[in-house]
Amino acid sequence: MAERSTAVVAASAALLLLLLLSAPATADVAAAAANRYPPLASGLSFDFYKKTCPKAESIVRDFLASAVKQNVGLAAALIRLHFHDCFVQGCDASILLDSTPTEKSEQEAGPNLTLRPAAFKAINDLRARLDRACGGTVVSCADIVALAARDSVGIAGGPAYQVPLGRRDSLSPASQTAVFDALPAPTSNVTTLLRFLARINLDATDLVTLSGGHTVGIAHCSSFENRLFPTKDGTLNQWFARQLGLTCPAKGAVNTTVNDIRTPNTFDNKYYVDLLNREGLFTSDQDLFTDARTKPLVTKFAVDQQAFFEQFVYSYVKMGQIQVLTGSSKGQIRANCSARNPATAAGNDGDLLPWSVVETAVETGLVL
Ligand code: HEM
Ligand SMILES: *[C@@H]1O[C@H](CO)[C@@H](O)[C@H](O)[C@H]1NC(C)=O
Ligand SMILES: *[C@@H]1O[C@H](CO)[C@@H](O)[C@H](O)[C@H]1NC(C)=O
Ligand SMILES: *[C@@H]1O[C@H](CO)[C@@H](O)[C@H](O)[C@H]1NC(C)=O
Ligand SMILES: CC(=O)N[C@H]1CO[C@H](CO)[C@@H](O)[C@@H]1O
């Protein structure tokens, strides 16, 4: 009798422990499902790897939970990497390609100057881990970038959400001019920003919301010194301008400061509170509060974090679907995220080179 009740107690304790341990994950899944999502691009789905690599999402999440503990800036770096990938030539991991003798990497174009090497390394580390767990190269590099960005948002304190998956990787990087044409400068005003975003079907709501990514991370003096020299930008809060002047004493200073002075490493709505206090870092940030078209939403997000989170999920997922390559005939799944697959492997991965069509035809016994 006593023995049995001990066993029952032990069993219930074990069950309770199990429930407690699994509770956060379950809550996350429920929260993620409750979000409002934009229409999914054709070829993308939330359960794309359910059969081919069911562990993919937990591997990315577990890896980042510990990697961000070692280096808190990695979360910001990955959130920005997804943005740079998607704005330039679509979310196709083209940003990850290293230069070759014939093609210059997007990383060598000015706006990419300060993408952190740690982010590229994390993606390559994830590539290796996923390949081991999936028994081969199954998950695309572009999907790894999207998943890493999602988990970085969550780990930093932001909303949990689901990521549509099934992107394929580009065969080449975008040209240097294409990078400049796609990424607005931080000295831009709202009119210019809206013009850049309109080309990829993003609107003023997306602009205000996605700029909220600047709730984490850092920037170099070169990105905001236009507001200090030769003359001080009149929209800068005086105290804040003095702080920036200490960090960047003269034009051309090499130093960094945080994007969000209130909570630099937390994904929250304090970025918008900064803007209300004229403590936004870039012209492109502060002008969101100056321009009548975007000011009301800035004000709303500053007082309603939940509204910001909900819209961020919508706009970031929308951004994550820009010009995606899907289906077996477009792009490829890179075995090495930094390099296009060697020609010999191209026949099996949808590479569009004419000879690969011939090879596939031979394999399947077709006569061309
Ligand atoms: C709307 C136009 C945007 C402009 C003009 C812009 C500009 C910049 C600039 C100049 C930096 C600092 C680079 C440096 O000096 O080191 C930066 C950093 C950053 N941006 Fe943006 N950005 C924009 C949109 C976005 C979007 C859509 C996201 C993501 C949702 C984002 C996320 C970040 C993050 C997280 C950092 C910090 C990166 C780090 O700490 O490594 N930005 N951005
Ligand atoms: C915005 O910037 C563009 C390009 O620098 C400039 O031509 C335009 O006058 C500016 N608009 C406003 C409202 O300041
Ligand atoms: C860089 O910024 C820090 C913090 O604002 C400041 O203490 C330091 O003097 C700056 N370094 C240079 C070289 O200006
Ligand atoms: C991946 O490609 C890059 C660029 O070509 C190369 O430097 C690197 O060694 C490759 N990594 C692996 C694991 O083969
Ligand atoms: C991370 C990275 O590769 N950054 C490069 C950006 O572009 C400059 C040249 O414009 C390179 O020197 C950086 O290494």
Side-chain angles (χ1 to χ4, degrees):
M1 209 33 194
E3 254 171 48
R4 185 188 289 175
S5 57
T6 313
V8 169
V9 169
S12 349
L15 189 67
L16 187 67
L17 191 65
L18 198 73
L19 281 174
L20 284 175
L21 286 175
S22 60
T26 317
D28 266 8
V29 170
N35 285 309
R36 188 171 62 90
Y37 293 97
L40 298 199
S42 137
L44 298 187
S45 58
F46 289 124
D47 59 358
F48 192 80
Y49 297 112
K50 195 176 169 184
K51 290 213 179 76
T52 51
C53 191
K55 283 198 204 135
E57 299 206 23
S58 63
I59 285 165
V60 176
R61 191 180 58 234
D62 294 349
F63 173 82
L64 284 176
S66 79
V68 171
K69 244 179 231 155
Q70 312 278 313
N71 171 11
V72 70
L74 179 61
L78 288 166
I79 292 167
R80 186 174 180 223
L81 184 67
H82 186 40
F83 153 58
H84 276 223
D85 183 25
C86 292
F87 265 52
V88 183
Q89 189 181 284
C91 316
D92 59 358
S94 58
I95 184 82
L96 303 178
L97 289 168
D98 284 345
S99 291
T100 68
T102 53
E103 283 171 328
K104 215 169 180 186
S105 169
E106 288 175 26
Q107 294 162 36
E108 289 187 42
N112 285 329
L113 211 63
T114 50
L115 289 170
R116 299 195 209 192
F120 294 97
K121 182 175 183 306
I123 300 298
N124 283 331
D125 288 351
L126 280 167
R127 166 83 287 158
R129 273 161 203 258
L130 286 165
D131 290 356
R132 260 178 271 138
C134 316
T137 301
V138 172
V139 182
S140 68
C141 298
D143 280 347
I144 299 177
V145 171
L147 287 169
R150 183 270 303 271
D151 292 328
S152 295
V153 167
I155 290 167
Y161 64 94
Q162 295 177 293
V163 186
L165 298 166
R167 298 168 189 77
R168 291 170 65 85
D169 304 324
S170 72
L171 303 177
S172 359
S175 69
Q176 307 286 299
T177 12
V179 175
F180 280 99
D181 287 349
L183 293 169
T187 51
S188 310
N189 59 28
V190 165
T191 301
T192 303
L193 294 168
L194 286 174
R195 188 161 47 78
F196 271 78
L197 268 71
R199 294 186 206 139
I200 42 178
N201 289 318
L202 298 178
D203 58 23
T205 298
D206 298 316
L207 172 63
V208 173
T209 309
L210 292 173
S211 297
H214 293 161
T215 176
V216 290
I218 57 170
H220 292 73
C221 296
S222 55
S223 299
F224 54 89
E225 63 186 10
N226 68 303
R227 305 188 69 201
L228 301 173
F229 316 106
T231 49
K232 211 174 289 168
D233 179 337
T235 59
L236 275 174
N237 165 311
Q238 289 297 312
W239 171 85
F240 186 58
R242 273 197 304 278
Q243 301 308 306
L244 293 181
L246 295 176
T247 305
C248 314
K251 195 165 158 54
V254 180
N255 212 345
T256 59
T257 191
V258 294
N259 285 337
D260 167 11
I261 49 161
R262 288 184 165 70
T263 50
N265 296 317
T266 306
F267 196 104
D268 56 16
N269 68 336
K270 294 293 192 293
Y271 162 83
Y272 300 100
V273 177
D274 297 339
L275 300 188
L276 258 56
N277 288 283
R278 296 184 291 119
E279 293 161 348
L281 193 55
F282 309 138
T283 304
S284 64
D285 295 319
Q286 196 57 55
D287 205 44
L288 297 173
F289 188 62
T290 306
D291 194 294
R293 290 168 291 182
T294 45
K295 184 175 182 169
L297 196 53
V298 170
T299 310
K300 179 178 176 183
F301 287 163
V303 296
D304 186 348
Q305 177 163 281
Q306 193 53 36
F308 165 51
F309 280 5
E310 280 167 18
Q311 186 59 43
F312 186 81
V313 168
Y314 188 95
S315 293
Y316 205 45
V317 170
K318 183 174 169 191
M319 185 200 84
Q321 303 191 88
I322 294 171
Q323 293 160 31
V324 287
L325 304 169
T326 61
S328 55
S329 66
K330 289 193 194 133
Q332 60 182 199
I333 296 175
R334 276 183 230 139
N336 175 347
C337 291
S338 308
R340 180 189 163 146
N341 290 343
T344 44
N348 319 322
D349 62 20
D351 192 319
L352 285 172
L353 285 177
W355 57 262
S356 74
V357 174
V358 174
E359 201 173 65
T360 312
V362 169
E363 276 166 15
T364 54
L366 270 177
V367 179
L368 284 181

